């Protein structure tokens, strides 16, 4: 056994000091070498901030530093430094800031201080280099192909979300055939997981001077990959370019589009300041090895950070941090808007009204859009936090007496399970008709209209009330009979499936005791309640729990989405306590 490795770190003089790495030049086969400089963040040398994916965290590589010290590093950081070194002018060192080298990760106090000033570290860098991994799977060819597609695909599609399903989509007549190997290379580039990591996302947003590198190849436009994804969503490119759900457990499709939107908002020509709640909502799809980093990675960007008085504290558990964060958000702006970030399943043990920002389910954001609804009428939020309870003014509307099967699995693919989908539709329609025969729907609409409107939340892609043209789309779905169906029928059936997925992928059909038909959270059961909360455009499902309720999620109840609750003779304002 050799002598113990000397630590390369000496203490930082103040919480606003940083270290930068001067990376020595070298040939690709030579070991990494460099030296650390200690400097003030308010007057640093010219440096670049490196953003990269940590990967497994296992440190199988190393870099030799001054005084003979050796620092173990991960394979991913080793790859990044090797390629950065090759990109530097011949014989010259490259000065970079890389968290795993420039922060003493074993010193918890220093780690917290450095994470607290991360926004300044990246913001003051000469540029941010986002390294998305080494050259592999023909990535250089994929980058060139993406640029070619960006130049030549000038027309955008009809705005429907074909990209949610790899079996759907249109192919532009001038595009190369899908057998072209460049499509495979580009799909592999999209599947690189750097975009799903919350710290990579945070660092992507902090500096106007941003360079993406794949191997030693620079990607000329920071938005190139996300732009390709968006063009698939809008049917300008084949939907098979995007991964299927089983290939994309990290929701890379949503992460890439979220990165584009966030960077455009934060650093666009109209500089936008976002609250912590807004940042958490928009960055919900991103992932972190440490769930606390879902909050800490965006805290430095939050316009209300000082008002919330949240500090980076790695001695706090993730559960405690999420509860404190949610409470402070509600206290700073007393609304029930935070409920929209609560998904149908949680990984952490939390009060039902506290979002679990550590997990994500694809497509969840689209289900919460509410511009086309006004279930609360002209009421305003009345909300307060009492310990771990959320008290909200509202009204208990009705009791659920019937729930159907989960809707989402029947709309994963248009071409798979056509007969099964039709059988499911018929079964659900018959059961709802049977329920309404006993408890008539309080309205004069025919049951079939109530049925298809509820499936799509009675709204279009643009959040407008669906017209009778959508019944034609529903009828086309019933007529669709696989690959032999006419093109017009196929297109119409696809459009209706898209509408169902957007609104109801995590819902199930339900009937209430007063005969209302709705789409409720997939976790809802018979005997659960539907409620209206003041100031909120949607309705919600809750479950009785002692003196209060467990929050289940937002719901659509046909006939009660435009203030009708307030006009009903049974309306009674009350305080609803969510446990």
């Amino acid at each position: 056994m050799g002598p113990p490795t000397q630590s390369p770190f000496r203490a930082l003089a103040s919480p606003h000091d940083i270290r930068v790495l001067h990376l020595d030049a070298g040939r690709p086969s030579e070991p990494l070498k460099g030296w650390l400089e200690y400097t003030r963040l308010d007057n640093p040398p010219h440096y670049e901030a490196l953003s990269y994916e940590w990967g497994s965290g296992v440190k199988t590589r190393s870099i030799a530093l001054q005084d003979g010290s050796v620092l173990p590093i991960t394979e991913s950081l080793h790859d990044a430094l090797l390629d950065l070194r090759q990109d530097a002018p011949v014989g010259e060192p490259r000065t970079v800031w890389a968290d795993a080298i420039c922060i003493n990760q074993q010193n918890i106090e220093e780690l917290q201080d450095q994470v607290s000033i991360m926004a300044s570290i990246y913001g003051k860098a000469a540029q941010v280099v986002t390294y998305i991994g080494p050259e592999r799977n023909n990535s250089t060819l994929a980058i060139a192909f993406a640029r070619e597609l960006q130049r030549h695909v000038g027309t955008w599609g009809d705005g429907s979300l074909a990209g949610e399903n790899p079996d759907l989509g249109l192919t532009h007549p001038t595009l190369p055939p899908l057998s072209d190997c460049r499509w495979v290379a580009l799909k592999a580039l999209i599947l690189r997981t750097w975009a799903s990591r919350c710290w990579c996302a945070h660092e992507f947003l902090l500096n106007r001077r941003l360079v993406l590198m794949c191997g030693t190849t620079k990607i000329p436009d920071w938005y190139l990959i996300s732009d390709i994804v968006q063009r698939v969503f809008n049917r300008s490119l084949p939907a098979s370019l995007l991964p299927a759900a089983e290939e994309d457990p990290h929701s890379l499709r949503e992460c890439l589009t979220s990165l584009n939107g966030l960077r455009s908002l934060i650093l666009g020509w109209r500089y936008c300041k976002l609250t912590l709640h807004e940042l958490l909502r928009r960055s919900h799809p991103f992932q972190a090895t440490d769930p606390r980093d879902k909050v800490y990675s965006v805290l430095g960007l939050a316009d209300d950070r000082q008002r919330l008085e949240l500090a980076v504290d790695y001695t706090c558990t993730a559960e405690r941090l999420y509860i404190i964060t949610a409470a402070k958000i509600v206290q700073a702006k007393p609304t029930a808007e935070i409920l929209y970030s609560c998904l149908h399943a949680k990984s952490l043990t939390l009060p039902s009204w506290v979002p679990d920002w550590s997990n994500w389910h694809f497509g969840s954001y689209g289900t919460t859009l509410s511009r086309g609804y006004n279930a609360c009428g002209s009421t305003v939020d009345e909300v307060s936090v009492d310990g771990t309870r959320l008290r909200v003014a509202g009204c208990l509307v009705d009791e659920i007496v019937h729930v159907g099967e989960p809707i989402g699995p029947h709309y994963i693919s248009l071409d798979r399970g056509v007969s099964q989908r039709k059988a499911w539709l018929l079964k659900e329609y018959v059961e709802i008709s049977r329920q309404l025969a006993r408890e008539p729907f309080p309205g004069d609409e025919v049951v079939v209209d109530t049925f298809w409107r509820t499936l799509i939340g009675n709204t279009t892609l643009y959040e407008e009330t669906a017209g009778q043209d959508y019944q034609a789309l529903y009828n086309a779905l019933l007529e669709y009979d696989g690959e032999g169906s006419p093109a017009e029928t196929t297109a119409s059936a696809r459009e209706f499936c898209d509408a169902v997925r957007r609104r109801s992928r995590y819902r199930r059909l339900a009937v209430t005791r007063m005969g209302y038909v709705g789409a409720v959270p997939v976790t809802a059961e018979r005997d659960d309640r539907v409620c209206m909360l003041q100031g909120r455009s949607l309705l919600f499902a809750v479950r009785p729990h002692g003196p209060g309720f467990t929050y289940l999620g937002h719901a659509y109840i046909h006939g009660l989405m435009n203030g009708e609750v307030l006009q009903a003779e049974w309306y009674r304002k009350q305080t609803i306590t969510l446990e």
Side-chain angles (χ1 to χ4, degrees):
M1 181 182 295
T5 302
Q6 180 181 345
S7 172
F9 300 114
R10 58 179 170 83
L12 293 169
S14 82
H16 291 281
D17 279 15
I18 63 170
R19 304 178 185 92
V20 294
L21 170 70
H22 296 283
L23 180 65
D24 290 345
R27 291 189 293 271
S29 59
E30 293 179 335
L32 293 172
K33 295 181 180 180
W35 59 279
L36 293 175
E37 177 183 354
Y38 290 67
T39 182
R40 293 281 298 176
L41 184 55
D42 56 8
N43 187 30
H46 182 282
Y47 71 95
E48 300 167 273
L50 175 62
S51 175
Y52 67 101
E53 185 180 354
W54 272 51
S56 69
V58 179
K59 298 178 179 179
T60 58
R61 298 287 191 160
S62 63
I63 180 171
L65 298 177
Q66 68 268 39
D67 301 325
S69 60
V70 175
L71 183 67
I73 60 175
T74 62
E75 185 78 26
S76 57
L77 179 54
H78 183 264
D79 289 339
L81 294 177
L82 279 181
D83 286 332
L84 279 173
R85 188 174 67 176
Q86 291 304 109
D87 188 54
V90 177
E92 294 186 15
R94 192 160 185 171
T95 303
V96 300
W97 187 93
D99 54 0
I101 293 177
C102 298
I103 299 177
N104 183 353
Q105 302 289 326
Q106 306 306 312
N107 185 326
I108 189 69
E109 184 176 348
E110 178 182 307
L111 177 62
Q112 291 176 171
D113 288 341
Q114 294 283 285
V115 168
S116 296
I117 61 171
M118 200 78 81
S120 296
I121 292 173
Y122 279 84
K124 292 191 175 185
Q127 69 175 10
V128 171
V129 178
T130 294
Y131 181 79
I132 69 172
E135 161 67 36
R136 65 171 181 263
N137 299 324
N138 290 320
S139 54
T140 301
L141 178 67
I143 292 166
F145 185 42
R147 293 195 71 190
E148 181 183 336
L149 291 174
Q150 194 180 51
R151 285 194 301 268
H152 290 97
V153 182
T155 57
W156 289 64
D158 62 3
S160 50
L161 297 177
E164 295 178 356
N165 180 354
D167 296 323
L168 308 182
L170 306 177
T171 302
H172 195 283
T174 62
L175 295 177
L178 294 179
S179 58
D180 192 310
C181 67
R182 292 177 293 174
W183 291 112
V184 176
L186 184 51
K187 184 174 182 178
L189 186 68
I190 291 170
L191 272 169
R192 294 201 178 204
T193 55
W194 67 275
S196 70
R197 312 312 299 171
C198 66
W199 279 115
C200 289
H202 169 82
E203 294 150 6
F204 189 88
L205 305 172
L206 289 171
N207 195 309
R208 291 186 182 278
R209 298 172 297 280
L210 175 68
V211 174
L212 267 68
M213 281 185 63
C214 183
T216 58
T217 301
K218 293 180 181 177
I219 300 177
D221 302 316
W222 61 263
Y223 51 84
L224 176 65
I225 302 175
S226 60
D227 184 55
I228 293 297
V229 171
Q230 189 60 57
R231 288 174 185 265
V232 177
F233 281 159
N234 288 277
R235 296 192 189 277
S236 295
L237 291 173
S240 57
L241 180 58
L242 292 188
E246 58 270 20
E247 297 177 278
D248 189 19
H250 302 293
S251 291
L252 289 165
R253 296 165 288 180
E254 287 188 306
C255 290
L256 284 163
T257 53
S258 294
L259 280 179
N260 194 351
L262 275 167
R263 185 169 171 87
S264 298
L265 273 175
I266 293 171
L267 296 177
W269 67 277
R270 286 185 175 179
Y271 178 75
C272 182
K273 295 183 178 181
L274 301 177
T275 66
L276 179 60
H277 182 216
E278 291 168 330
L279 287 164
L280 286 169
R281 181 175 61 84
R282 291 177 177 273
S283 62
H284 204 151
F286 303 121
Q287 299 186 8
T289 303
D290 186 334
R292 294 170 293 189
D293 284 335
K294 287 301 297 286
V295 175
Y296 296 151
S297 66
V298 295
L299 185 58
L301 291 169
D303 182 51
D304 57 350
R305 177 182 180 178
Q306 299 301 321
R307 186 165 70 254
L308 294 177
E309 296 182 335
L310 268 174
V312 177
D313 179 6
Y314 282 105
T315 66
C316 182
T317 66
E319 287 85 354
R320 183 62 182 157
L321 174 63
Y322 284 15
I323 293 169
I324 291 171
T325 301
K328 286 181 176 290
I329 286 171
V330 173
Q331 288 162 352
K333 183 182 178 183
T335 77
E337 187 177 356
I338 200 165
L339 295 176
Y340 294 149
S341 293
C342 292
L343 309 184
H344 65 279
K346 296 184 179 184
S347 301
L348 302 178
T349 303
L350 298 164
S352 65
W353 62 274
V354 174
D356 184 350
W357 288 292
S358 71
N359 69 354
W360 178 250
H361 303 279
F362 177 76
S364 294
Y365 175 71
T367 65
T368 64
L369 299 176
S370 58
R371 190 173 61 194
Y373 308 123
N374 188 29
C376 65
S378 60
T379 63
V380 296
D381 291 271
E382 293 181 21
V383 181
S384 64
V385 177
D386 178 12
T388 59
R389 297 179 176 87
L390 186 72
R391 303 192 189 280
V392 189
C395 171
L396 288 175
V397 173
D398 208 349
E399 180 181 348
I400 297 172
V401 296
H402 164 77
V403 292
E405 295 178 21
I407 295 172
H410 297 280
Y411 287 84
I412 292 174
S413 166
L414 177 65
D415 295 319
R416 288 181 228 147
V418 176
S419 59
Q420 292 93 328
R421 177 183 293 116
K422 289 182 180 179
W424 174 80
L425 281 170
L426 180 60
K427 175 185 173 184
E428 292 285 319
Y429 178 75
V430 168
E431 184 56 40
I432 285 175
S433 298
R434 184 181 297 120
Q435 291 286 332
L436 296 181
R438 294 195 296 266
E439 302 168 71
F441 176 69
D444 55 4
E445 191 171 67
V446 295
V447 175
V448 67
D449 274 356
T450 298
F451 183 71
W452 67 256
R453 287 184 185 277
T454 301
L455 280 172
I456 64 173
N458 198 28
T459 190
T460 70
L461 173 65
Y462 306 103
E463 296 186 76
E464 299 169 346
T465 301
Q468 285 297 325
D469 53 332
Y470 270 77
Q471 182 168 17
L473 302 181
Y474 169 69
N475 291 336
L477 177 61
L478 296 179
E479 296 166 8
Y480 178 76
D481 196 27
E483 294 182 0
S485 299
E488 184 177 354
T489 299
T490 301
S492 295
R494 176 182 296 124
E495 188 172 349
F496 191 82
C497 286
D498 287 346
V500 174
R501 272 193 297 271
R502 282 195 299 273
R503 285 294 175 180
S504 299
R505 67 172 78 239
Y506 298 121
R507 289 175 172 172
R508 63 202 320 159
L509 294 175
V511 178
T512 71
R513 187 165 300 284
M514 289 192 292
Y516 288 97
V517 178
V520 298
V522 70
T523 53
E525 300 174 356
R526 182 185 172 93
D527 300 327
D528 289 337
R529 308 292 198 271
V530 174
C531 66
M532 181 275 289
L533 302 179
Q534 289 192 184
R536 300 297 98 205
S537 299
L538 298 172
L539 293 176
F540 302 89
V542 295
R543 179 169 297 156
H545 181 259
F549 296 90
T550 297
Y551 174 74
L552 300 177
H554 48 81
Y556 171 88
I557 305 297
H558 192 68
L560 294 178
M561 300 304 295
N562 288 291
E564 293 90 347
V565 170
L566 298 168
Q567 307 303 319
E569 60 180 17
W570 42 260
Y571 168 71
R572 297 289 184 276
K573 179 181 175 180
Q574 62 189 106
T575 297
I576 297 171
T577 301
L578 302 179
E579 306 280 351

